[in-house]
Amino acid sequence: MADRVRHLLGISGGKDSAALAIYLHKLYPELDIEYYFCDTGKELKETLELVKRLEVYLGKEITRLRAIENEHYEPFDYFLKVVGNFLPSVQQRWCTQKLKLEPFETHVGDSPCISYVGIRGDEDREGYISTKSNIQSIFPFRRNIWSIEILASFFRNENIEKIAALYQEFAPKEILDRALEVVRSPKTVRYTISKKMKALHQLSVKTFNRVVFEFLRDAGKPVSLLEDFPLLENEDNLIRDDIFKLLEDSGVGVPAYYKKIPFTVDGMTGEYARSRSGCYFCFFQQRIEWIWLYEQHPDLFEQAAAYEKGDEYTWVQGERLVDLIKPERIRQIKLEAIRRNEQAANRRSPYLIDNIEDAEGITCGNCFI
């Protein structure tokens, strides 16, 4: 029965998905994980180099998925033409749908699939959760490995006695009374899912995972087709610094675009880098990252600027790239970056001199997992 379920992990080219591949390879070698990379045709060379290093470390090919095979167009350019040259934006993320989600879901087909997502324990966001019932997301870096829709079902008040019976079956005696007290306390506006889960986690994460797993036996979820699931024993809660340590210790290394490069403006020194993987023209980039692209990959910056059409279709809201790189504007952006860096100085990582404002909280989780 277990061999019917596929285990998939998408490699975005960023730190979290790469570290997750390393983490699962080390701790759960019994999982036959399929790795894939959605190639938009607009990736940085540093991204492609990371994918190759991961293949060496994992000893397994990372399947390249492309939304369209067309000898005249890269995938992004093909769909840009289809949508009438309307550039993607925060409000209209057609690139995510067409270049990431649809190729993945086509690759999975109708097979039951567990998709492993690299959302960290220090992030307050959900990653990609498919609307297809045969795809289930699991979050190994978080103490809570289950997705929000699983928890919403599990903690329905009408399930209280069913959950209580499972705790009576699987909980150690020393925590049973308190666990039953928590379980039998109805969920309310004040006693939320988060609070109930936290209380049960404090008693035993492993027991909570086992009870959720058994609860899902008849739910039709991919994990319910498994006889057992090794991540039920997982109690880890990995944060940003843990991710960089995994990358460095493995020898795979931190993606090159995270490495800080110094710059000088008005006699002051700052540093810049990229904070994300994804297409080189990603509209989630901060302005200082666009300056990084202009100065480190001028050919790619020029190509990104060529996509813009007047003042209407621009990558940066309200500002064209040709205006972004005017000398006085570059000076302003760099000075602002230095100011932000100074404010962030007390929270720098020992594994990454992380002194540009982390924009991960406003990214598209479907691209940067």
Side-chain angles (χ1 to χ4, degrees):
M1 185 161 58
D3 59 0
R4 294 173 54 201
V5 180
R6 295 171 66 184
H7 301 264
L8 273 78
L9 197 166
I11 303 299
S12 70
K15 61 187 183 305
D16 295 331
S17 62
L20 182 57
I22 294 165
Y23 176 83
L24 293 176
H25 180 75
K26 288 177 60 178
L27 270 66
Y28 302 101
E30 66 271 34
L31 294 176
D32 183 18
I33 298 177
E34 303 173 44
Y35 303 94
Y36 67 92
F37 169 67
C38 292
D39 186 0
T40 66
K42 303 299 176 181
E43 316 291 337
L44 289 165
K45 64 179 178 63
E46 294 93 332
T47 296
L48 302 178
E49 289 167 358
L50 175 73
V51 172
K52 291 178 181 177
R53 292 200 304 273
L54 265 177
E55 285 183 317
V56 173
Y57 175 84
L58 298 169
K60 183 179 286 190
E61 180 183 1
I62 297 173
T63 302
R64 273 65 167 176
L65 304 181
R66 289 170 72 89
I68 189 78
E69 291 293 344
N70 187 302
E71 61 180 309
H72 302 294
Y73 295 100
E74 294 287 3
F76 175 85
D77 295 321
Y78 174 85
F79 284 103
L80 180 64
K81 186 175 180 65
V82 168
V83 300
N85 293 315
F86 183 84
L87 292 179
S89 66
V90 175
Q91 293 76 28
Q92 297 290 333
R93 305 179 197 179
W94 61 258
C95 54
T96 298
Q97 184 67 35
K98 294 298 183 182
L99 304 178
K100 300 286 185 175
L101 301 188
E102 289 184 7
F104 166 65
E105 293 186 344
T106 298
H107 180 61
V108 172
D110 296 325
S111 302
C113 166
I114 294 176
S115 174
Y116 296 91
V117 182
I119 302 296
R120 305 189 307 269
D122 58 348
E123 293 183 284
D124 184 20
R125 65 186 178 100
E126 289 288 329
Y128 162 69
I129 299 175
S130 178
T131 57
K132 296 185 67 175
S133 61
N134 62 304
I135 300 175
Q136 179 179 359
S137 296
I138 292 289
F139 303 85
F141 283 158
R142 304 188 318 196
R143 187 162 288 119
N144 167 46
I145 64 174
W146 309 103
S147 57
I148 188 64
E149 90 279 8
I150 295 294
L151 296 177
S153 174
F154 180 81
F155 281 112
R156 286 177 184 156
N157 287 338
E158 57 262 39
N159 292 327
I160 282 177
E161 288 308 316
K162 180 178 181 180
I163 303 305
L166 288 171
Y167 262 92
Q168 288 174 321
E169 183 177 355
F170 293 103
K173 291 181 179 179
E174 60 269 22
I175 71 165
L176 180 58
D177 288 345
R178 174 57 184 152
L180 291 176
E181 180 183 340
V182 173
V183 169
R184 288 188 169 128
S185 298
K187 177 173 63 70
T188 67
V189 173
R190 293 195 175 188
Y191 197 43
T192 61
I193 288 175
S194 178
K195 288 180 179 178
K196 287 194 75 169
M197 182 178 68
K198 183 177 180 180
L200 292 172
H201 273 182
Q202 287 174 339
L203 293 171
S204 171
V205 174
K206 293 180 181 179
T207 303
F208 177 77
N209 285 344
R210 171 58 62 180
V211 169
V212 174
F213 180 74
E214 298 298 332
F215 170 82
L216 292 173
R217 284 291 188 191
D218 301 320
K221 294 293 183 181
V223 75
S224 69
L225 300 175
L226 300 173
E227 295 177 5
D228 205 352
F229 187 43
L231 267 78
L232 300 183
E233 299 295 308
N234 181 62
E235 294 184 290
D236 288 343
N237 197 62
L238 275 66
I239 62 173
R240 189 182 182 92
D241 289 353
D242 298 318
I243 300 310
F244 287 102
K245 189 172 190 305
L246 273 169
L247 291 167
E248 296 288 13
D249 290 352
S250 69
V252 171
V254 176
Y257 47 75
Y258 289 125
K259 301 290 187 181
K260 298 299 180 202
I261 298 173
F263 62 79
T264 301
V265 58
D266 289 2
M268 294 182 286
T269 299
E271 293 176 311
Y272 60 13
R274 234 179 173 230
S275 66
R276 66 196 68 251
S277 59
C279 300
Y280 63 82
F281 46 57
C282 179
F283 46 81
F284 275 116
Q285 290 181 96
Q286 301 169 84
R287 285 173 169 79
I288 189 63
E289 295 178 79
W290 280 108
I291 300 305
W292 174 90
L293 184 69
Y294 171 65
E295 296 183 344
Q296 303 304 318
H297 295 282
D299 56 330
L300 297 182
F301 185 92
E302 183 178 349
Q303 291 174 40
Y307 282 106
E308 296 188 326
K309 305 296 181 184
D311 295 328
E312 185 177 5
Y313 297 135
T314 59
W315 293 113
V316 181
Q317 187 172 6
E319 189 167 18
R320 297 183 304 163
L321 293 186
V322 292
D323 295 324
L324 195 75
I325 58 171
K326 291 178 178 178
E328 179 57 25
R329 187 69 179 111
I330 291 178
R331 174 179 170 274
Q332 292 173 353
I333 292 169
K334 286 185 173 180
L335 288 173
E336 175 62 19
I338 290 173
R339 183 190 66 79
R340 288 202 312 268
N341 293 346
E342 291 173 348
Q343 291 177 346
N346 292 330
R347 53 186 176 86
R348 289 177 178 169
S349 162
Y351 306 107
L352 175 75
I353 305 176
D354 182 29
N355 57 354
I356 66 172
E357 184 178 35
D358 186 358
E360 289 175 333
I362 59 168
T363 64
C364 178
N366 298 324
C367 279
F368 308 113
I369 58 178

